[in-house]
Amino acid sequence: GAGVSQSPSNKVTEKGKDVELRCDPISGHTALYWYRQSLGQGLEFLIYFQGNSAPDKSGLPSDRFSAERTGGSVSTLTIQRTQQEDSAVYLCASSLAGGGTEAFFGQGTRLTVV
Amino acid sequence: QKEVEQNSGPLSVPEGAIASLNCTYSDRVSQSFFWYRQYSGKSPELIMSIYSNGDKEDGRFTAQLNKASQYVSLLIRDSQPSDSATYLCAADFVDSGGGADGLTFGKGTHLIIQP
């Protein structure tokens, strides 16, 4: 596709439910990043994929968070047993090769846990 | 811990003046630096990348990198009200094995251009 695509754009879920957020990177981009941004705050790094591998999982806030990437393309971020503090905008970015190449963001998924 | 530091602002600049945004980073090994612009309620948009010491110009934007002092700056000439946004500095740190460690962002500087 022309840009990074994220779905859904908005998600409202009840506390305790599981949610899946999807990121479809720019075609041919091998590096994929997930970030979280709470209202008025900076970008919090969650996880980085190079191909299907995640060299750095240290940013995931708790074991309720997991992410996978299959076929070197689409990535899914799963949050289990959602809590109100999980409410934020979840941003995905991709770059051609990681390692210093320019990264481009999707429009984000706004998650609200009620 | 690898960090990117920015003054949160707000930085207020009169229309037509030069806006100067600064960023420092903690890791001497970092090679790649980026500036993003983020409007309220929108996702970050890449505006400049810089890899070598010195200046890089693109239209009204100039990025400056000084690796010895570990700082990166962004100059915006002839500032316009539409430049009002949060500007995020990012560094691509490397891990102990020399591999990419992912993009680390500063918290951003809120820039206000006064008409």
Side-chain angles (χ1 to χ4, degrees):
Chain A
V4 179
S5 178
Q6 292 187 246
S7 60
S9 298
N10 284 282
K11 176 72 176 179
V12 179
T13 190
E14 292 181 352
K15 178 181 173 181
K17 299 284 190 184
D18 298 352
V19 295
E20 283 189 353
L21 310 180
R22 176 187 168 106
C23 174
D24 198 347
I26 294 171
S27 179
H29 279 197
T30 63
L32 186 147
Y33 310 82
W34 282 100
Y35 293 88
R36 178 169 73 173
Q37 189 172 36
S38 300
L39 188 63
Q41 301 299 309
L43 293 174
E44 177 187 1
F45 171 76
L46 297 179
I47 193 167
Y48 157 62
F49 287 94
Q50 181 58 257
N52 291 334
S53 300
D56 185 357
K57 298 181 180 179
S58 63
L60 295 175
S62 76
D63 59 8
R64 295 187 296 105
F65 287 73
S66 63
E68 65 175 13
R69 189 180 186 196
T70 55
S73 182
V74 172
S75 176
T76 303
L77 177 68
T78 301
I79 309 173
Q80 295 178 309
R81 305 181 302 280
T82 51
Q83 303 295 312
Q84 287 187 328
E85 61 263 29
D86 299 334
S87 296
V89 175
Y90 289 80
L91 290 160
C92 175
S94 72
S95 69
L96 188 59
T101 56
E102 296 174 338
F104 300 91
F105 281 85
Q107 81 281 13
T109 294
R110 181 175 299 278
L111 175 66
T112 304
V113 182
V114 298
Chain B
Q1 185 163 346
K2 298 172 181 176
E3 293 182 332
V4 176
E5 300 284 347
Q6 294 181 258
N7 188 318
S8 62
L11 174 65
S12 186
V13 173
E15 183 175 358
I18 295 175
S20 178
L21 303 159
N22 299 310
C23 168
T24 58
Y25 59 94
S26 62
D27 192 315
R28 293 182 180 277
V29 185
S30 299
Q31 296 294 317
S32 309
F33 305 90
F34 308 90
W35 282 99
Y36 287 79
R37 177 176 63 199
Q38 187 174 27
Y39 293 114
S40 181
K42 301 294 185 182
S43 61
E45 173 193 8
L46 177 69
I47 53 173
M48 290 286 285
S49 58
I50 187 165
Y51 305 95
S52 304
N53 276 329
D55 295 359
K56 179 181 178 183
E57 187 174 321
D58 183 0
R60 296 187 296 111
F61 298 97
T62 298
Q64 299 175 317
L65 174 60
N66 183 322
K67 292 186 179 181
S69 300
Q70 294 178 225
Y71 83 77
V72 190
S73 63
L74 179 71
L75 302 178
I76 307 174
R77 289 182 299 281
D78 187 24
S79 298
Q80 302 297 309
S82 59
D83 294 327
S84 298
T86 296
Y87 288 80
L88 302 168
C89 174
D92 204 348
F93 291 121
V94 296
D95 61 25
S96 57
D101 207 19
L103 277 177
T104 299
F105 283 82
K107 295 190 183 300
T109 298
H110 183 42
L111 175 66
I112 300 171
I113 305 300
Q114 295 179 321

